[in-house]
Amino acid sequence: MQVTYRFKLYPSLKQVSRLIQWQNKIRSLLNVCLADRIDSYQDTFMQGEFCNLRSRGVASPLACSIHKSASLGEYWKENNPSKRRGDKSKLFNPRRSAYEIHSSFATSWRQTKPWYQDVNSDVLQQGLRNQNKAFGNFFSGRANFPRFKRTRDIGLEFKPGTVRIQENKIKFPSLGWMKFALSREISNNWSIRTVTITREIDIWYVSVLLKDETIPDYSQKSATELNTIIGCDVGINKIAAFSNGEIETNPRIGERFERRLKIRQRRLSRKKKGSNNRQKAGIAVAKVHRDIRRCRQDFQWKLGKKIAAMGDIIAFEALNIQGMKKRCKPKFCSQTGKYLSNNQKSKSQLNKAISDAAWYSLRQKTQHQAAKLGTWVIEVNPRGSSQECCKCHYISPKNRDKEKFVCENCGHYDDADLNAGNILAQRGKEKLGIDTLTVVSRKVTTEPELTGASGNRKNISSAMVDESGNPALFVQLKLFSDWEWNTG
Ligand SMILES: [Zn+2]
């Protein structure tokens, strides 16, 4: 099994300046290589007498790039059978891949630029390897196109076997010993694999990948071991509503820090560009973002752990979050030729709340915790889940009024989100096709006044509390009066 532990690292001042220098140097090499990849690709579309616009190289089979993703470094490799890996009976291909070309380029950079010799060559090469992986992810559709990096984004990755740990001290090649906060124990059975140093503003961290082959990986429960399924409906007022009647309110962490963030951003905007004070103000802003991130992560890990233990299967709704956050279409008045209000302003508030709730990362954390317990996390189609009655499956938009749900067909009433959670669980059961599953639901429907999110915010669940009497009865009375009206 493999695990990654992250510790706070305490490098000395000398080591810090060296680490930043390394980051700077690696960043510049990676960005040159990334630009080279983009340029080389563009050059393949060149027409006319040049084959490279930047160097103004004349088009000729000898001068032009032979690789469409890389032009720097060596294109060809020697046929050395002793160094060849893999199937040696295959015909030797002397062409280097884009990564190999850039790898040879990095070596030549180190020779021509003596200040690069300070950087550990493994760490430098590992940066290129990660960039190559980023391209692989892009071409297979898993990620966006690799971006140009900033110094602070650069992680320093050390190869397995080069780093040594002794109690709360860690030794890196060419950097020496550093102290770190041993916040969790590392058993002697674990072998240390890749070790990465990262920076978050002014704090350094070390991530240690540990491996122990004697411990088996976590195994998922088999289909026969599954007994219960629970539905989880995510939202903004209630971050999670479960089919068993439990509700988690949204802490709205972004909102808590909003004022502080606004003040610091304003301070930043008033500082002169390029000044030291602006840099300081920028750090102050980044620190607020870090606080928000930490708060949210803490909340989500705790909630994710709780959700993962609730049932054998957890059914989430499949959400198209990007689609939800799309801009409103502009409204255009054909007579005056002016734009009309399209409610984008209020939509932006909603978008902010959606981003703040961070449903996707909550689900990812739940999945992580579920993997430890062996429980399943599935996605179901949420279409119409807020309008469908969980008792009689009657679908109508009139069933729902804000947070209150009253079925027009059978009179079942509940909190709308709890009803949706129940529907999700039932759909998950259908999707998996396991008949023995029991949907975890409430046995007794509680009073409507008691459902809904806890009332620290004004606009929550007021609709249910306002009405006196039984809502189901209310509907029946209303129906009756309509009938009376119609029949005269
Ligand atoms: Zn119903």
Side-chain angles (χ1 to χ4, degrees):
M1 194 172 69
Q2 279 192 348
V3 287
T4 311
Y5 288 171
R6 190 161 173 254
F7 303 106
K8 207 166 164 180
L9 192 65
Y10 299 111
S12 67
L13 281 178
K14 242 185 189 171
Q15 284 166 333
V16 166
S17 76
R18 203 157 168 212
L19 283 169
I20 294 175
Q21 274 180 27
W22 281 24
Q23 280 188 317
N24 254 318
K25 287 168 191 172
I26 294 170
R27 187 256 301 138
S28 79
L29 175 77
L30 290 186
N31 286 349
V32 165
C33 289
L34 177 57
D36 179 48
R37 288 223 190 197
I38 296 167
D39 286 352
S40 307
Y41 178 67
Q42 297 293 352
D43 284 348
T44 56
F45 300 107
M46 290 272 294
Q47 288 184 342
E49 54 206 77
F50 298 131
C51 79
N52 186 328
L53 266 190
R54 212 171 266 182
S55 67
R56 302 237 151 187
V58 181
S60 111
L62 290 172
C64 299
S65 163
I66 51 148
H67 202 290
K68 71 171 184 181
S69 334
S71 318
L72 304 164
E74 273 297 315
Y75 301 132
W76 308 105
K77 57 186 167 192
E78 243 178 287
N79 187 3
N80 190 346
S82 62
K83 278 189 180 176
R84 272 181 76 187
R85 269 178 273 173
D87 190 5
K88 285 184 187 176
S89 61
K90 271 189 186 168
L91 209 63
F92 175 70
N93 180 6
R95 278 172 80 128
R96 281 193 159 130
S97 68
Y99 159 68
E100 285 167 334
I101 292 173
H102 281 158
S103 172
S104 73
F105 172 65
T107 317
S108 67
W109 247 41
R110 268 169 71 83
Q111 283 156 2
T112 50
K113 298 180 183 4
W115 57 92
Y116 260 82
Q117 310 216 330
D118 176 52
V119 186
N120 185 294
S121 70
D122 282 340
V123 178
L124 197 69
Q125 294 286 352
Q126 197 59 47
L128 284 172
R129 232 164 274 157
N130 288 342
Q131 191 181 58
N132 193 45
K133 213 189 274 174
F135 268 100
N137 287 340
F138 167 67
F139 287 123
S140 58
R142 285 191 294 271
N144 287 335
F145 193 81
R147 288 194 205 168
F148 286 98
K149 290 276 193 292
R150 296 163 298 188
T151 304
R152 60 168 183 260
D153 299 332
I154 301 291
L156 307 169
E157 201 175 313
F158 294 85
K159 268 191 352 188
T162 53
V163 177
R164 202 143 56 92
I165 293 179
Q166 230 172 51
E167 284 170 21
N168 65 340
K169 280 180 184 165
I170 184 161
K171 193 187 182 189
F172 296 100
S174 49
L175 287 169
W177 288 97
M178 280 181 208
K179 267 191 182 175
F180 71 98
L182 190 65
S183 46
R184 61 200 303 181
E185 212 163 303
I186 305 173
S187 165
N188 289 332
N189 304 331
W190 295 101
S191 62
I192 300 162
R193 306 295 298 166
T194 320
V195 179
T196 313
I197 302 181
T198 48
R199 173 161 63 127
E200 242 184 51
I201 312 171
D202 52 352
I203 299 176
W204 293 85
Y205 291 97
V206 59
S207 314
V208 188
L209 182 67
L210 300 161
K211 197 175 182 183
D212 189 350
E213 273 161 7
T214 55
I215 303 172
D217 282 345
Y218 297 121
S219 60
Q220 222 180 16
K221 281 182 188 171
S222 64
T224 49
E225 287 175 293
L226 301 170
N227 294 318
T228 53
I229 181 164
I230 190 158
C232 176
D233 179 72
V234 293
I236 288 172
N237 285 337
K238 301 158 210 160
I239 193 146
F242 305 99
S243 55
N244 67 354
E246 275 185 53
I247 279 172
E248 277 297 327
T249 46
N250 187 357
R252 292 186 184 245
I253 286 152
E255 216 169 83
R256 255 192 261 161
F257 287 88
E258 208 175 4
R259 183 168 176 270
R260 202 189 300 172
L261 186 63
K262 200 175 158 188
I263 291 168
R264 294 195 185 181
Q265 277 172 335
R266 187 167 54 215
R267 276 184 202 154
L268 171 69
S269 73
R270 287 176 181 169
K271 299 285 185 288
K272 197 179 158 190
K273 277 190 183 169
S275 66
N276 279 339
N277 277 332
R278 192 180 172 93
Q279 207 179 354
K280 281 185 229 162
I283 289 171
V285 171
K287 280 183 178 171
V288 182
H289 284 299
R290 184 176 67 186
D291 287 353
I292 297 173
R293 193 165 59 242
R294 284 176 174 176
C295 256
R296 190 180 290 137
Q297 273 180 7
D298 175 59
F299 169 75
Q300 289 187 337
W301 276 121
K302 284 171 184 165
L303 181 58
K305 192 172 182 182
K306 195 179 144 191
I307 298 174
M310 274 178 158
D312 293 336
I313 304 169
I314 293 105
F316 276 99
E317 50 194 312
L319 288 171
N320 175 11
I321 295 167
Q322 270 186 353
M324 288 169 84
K325 287 202 284 192
K326 264 201 182 125
R327 290 186 73 83
C328 304
K329 273 187 187 158
K331 269 189 194 166
F332 197 67
C333 181
S334 55
Q335 285 169 343
T336 56
K338 282 180 179 171
Y339 283 107
L340 302 171
S341 162
N342 64 347
N343 284 335
Q344 178 59 40
K345 197 168 183 185
S346 55
K347 177 82 192 302
S348 313
Q349 285 296 316
L350 178 69
N351 288 354
K352 211 176 187 181
I354 293 173
S355 307
D356 186 23
W359 299 316
Y360 183 71
S361 83
L362 174 66
R363 195 168 67 208
Q364 273 188 321
K365 289 180 174 68
T366 310
Q367 271 169 342
H368 185 98
Q369 296 290 353
K372 284 187 184 176
L373 299 170
T375 52
W376 294 25
V377 174
I378 57 164
E379 261 190 2
V380 294
N381 183 7
R383 198 180 171 87
S385 60
S386 60
Q387 298 170 357
E388 189 178 331
C389 171
C390 68
K391 289 272 150 69
C392 70
H393 300 283
Y394 173 72
I395 305 175
S396 164
K398 286 179 188 165
N399 281 351
R400 180 169 183 177
D401 178 16
K402 287 174 189 161
E403 307 237 337
K404 147 181 90 166
F405 185 93
V406 184
C407 179
E408 284 195 318
N409 187 31
C410 71
H412 166 72
Y413 64 85
D414 203 344
D415 185 290
D417 295 317
L418 295 178
N419 178 67
N422 206 322
I423 289 287
L424 290 175
Q426 291 179 19
R427 286 186 188 177
K429 186 181 168 184
E430 254 171 59
K431 189 183 173 186
L432 291 173
I434 307 170
D435 297 328
T436 50
L437 283 178
T438 32
V439 172
V440 186
S441 59
R442 289 193 279 184
K443 279 164 199 113
V444 191
T445 313
T446 51
E447 290 296 310
E449 282 83 1
L450 296 177
T451 62
S454 70
N456 52 359
R457 290 180 60 83
K458 271 182 222 158
N459 56 352
I460 296 175
S461 284
S462 56
M464 276 198 143
V465 184
D466 288 348
E467 272 162 25
S468 58
N470 189 339
L473 197 65
F474 173 72
V475 171
Q476 279 162 11
L477 283 173
K478 197 166 151 255
L479 285 172
F480 180 69
S481 59
D482 281 352
W483 170 78
E484 204 174 38
W485 178 262
N486 291 335
T487 50

